[in-house]
Amino acid sequence: MNRLIGLVIMLAPLGALAEPGIPALTVETSAEGSQSYTLTIQVLAIMTLFTLLPAVLLTMTSFTRVIIVLAILRQALGTPQSPPNQVLLGLALFLTLFIMSPVLSTAWTDGVEPYMDGQTEAVEALQISTGPFREFMMQQTRDTDLALFSRIAGDAVFETPEDVPLSLLVPAFVTSELKTAFQIGFLVFIPFLIIDLVVASVLMSMGMMMLSPMLISLPFKIMLFVLVDGWALLMETMAASFFV
């Protein structure tokens, strides 16, 4: 988490991070002896930047794919309130940190630490820190999505991945993540859909049309999910989908 906060600070406006040390408060004494307190623009910039942290988490990491698959799983099980939203968000967050740990470690070691030690300038450190995120997003982004946003923006064909601007790469990455998440969700949904169809057919053949099929199929779906160790399989599948 400290690495993530450090990376967020690195994304502050370059002019505000011209020096490694950021004075938080300035006290000025007038000729009459009175004192005035001034909050520096650097602190205001960082405080404003922290409000963008959820957007960075959603658009530049694996969080989007993970949370969508978990939400589809809950819908497939037929338990809209279990697990609760807080549990799903917490699980998605920590699984995202697990998946993104190599990226965060590389960005921290190569970009943030040298900048905090005064070995590099802010511009160079920012470029180095965003490099691992750019590489991660390029690996997960489909060429068709990159071509789509490049065509919309009217840009020419890029020769190397480093030539792709973040303003184009991020929406293409999010679009690819949405597609992949729904593909995984489709595969997760199929077994539970089959159980619902079988239960509904059996109840219909028995003339029990007033009994809700969802009420009968729910324990069978939960039992199937537990017997196949569904949570472990799902976590392994989602984590492995980023390292193929």
Side-chain angles (χ1 to χ4, degrees):
M1 185 63 69
N2 292 334
R3 294 176 178 177
L4 183 60
I5 295 176
L7 291 174
V8 171
I9 294 177
M10 283 297 305
L11 295 176
L14 299 180
L17 294 180
E19 300 179 358
I22 301 177
L25 196 66
T26 302
V27 180
E28 298 180 355
T29 304
S30 63
E32 294 80 9
S34 60
Q35 293 181 338
S36 60
Y37 300 89
T38 304
L39 190 65
T40 58
I41 189 64
Q42 292 94 332
V43 177
L44 292 176
I46 292 177
M47 292 173 61
T48 303
L49 185 65
F50 272 109
T51 62
L52 302 178
L53 182 59
V56 174
L57 177 65
L58 288 173
T59 57
M60 298 180 65
T61 66
S62 59
F63 184 84
T64 301
R65 184 187 305 185
V66 173
I67 192 63
I68 290 177
V69 172
L70 291 177
I72 293 177
L73 170 65
R74 185 173 64 177
Q75 186 70 25
L77 282 172
T79 55
Q81 301 299 326
S82 182
N85 292 331
Q86 293 84 347
V87 175
L88 289 186
L89 288 173
L91 179 59
L93 176 60
F94 282 101
L95 186 59
T96 298
L97 292 177
F98 170 75
I99 295 171
M100 299 295 298
S101 58
V103 177
L104 295 174
S105 298
T106 303
W108 176 270
T109 303
D110 297 343
V112 179
E113 283 188 344
Y115 172 76
M116 297 179 67
D117 294 337
Q119 301 176 4
T120 59
E121 297 294 332
V123 176
E124 181 183 359
L126 181 61
Q127 293 176 347
I128 296 175
S129 298
T130 56
F133 288 92
R134 177 187 295 273
E135 182 180 357
F136 171 80
M137 289 188 290
M138 286 297 300
Q139 292 175 350
Q140 306 301 324
T141 304
R142 293 175 173 83
D143 294 337
T144 54
D145 295 324
L146 276 176
L148 169 65
F149 283 94
S150 177
R151 185 172 64 254
I152 294 175
D155 295 330
V157 178
F158 302 102
E159 297 181 357
T160 62
E162 289 74 16
D163 296 335
V164 180
L166 285 177
S167 59
L168 189 150
L169 178 58
V170 172
F173 168 72
V174 174
T175 303
S176 294
E177 286 296 282
L178 291 174
K179 292 180 181 178
T180 304
F182 278 95
Q183 288 175 354
I184 298 176
F186 171 78
L187 297 177
V188 171
F189 213 107
I190 290 300
F192 302 108
L193 179 61
I194 294 175
I195 295 178
D196 287 333
L197 291 175
V198 171
V199 171
S201 299
V202 171
L203 292 179
M204 185 70 67
S205 63
M206 296 175 62
M208 305 175 65
M209 292 178 292
M210 300 301 295
L211 184 61
S212 173
M214 294 294 297
L215 183 63
I216 305 300
S217 63
L218 178 58
F220 289 99
K221 291 189 289 187
I222 294 177
M223 181 182 65
L224 173 66
F225 192 68
V226 172
L227 288 178
V228 300
D229 199 7
W231 287 112
L233 288 175
L234 186 64
M235 298 299 108
E236 181 181 4
T237 301
M238 284 194 294
S241 66
F242 288 96
F243 301 105
V244 176

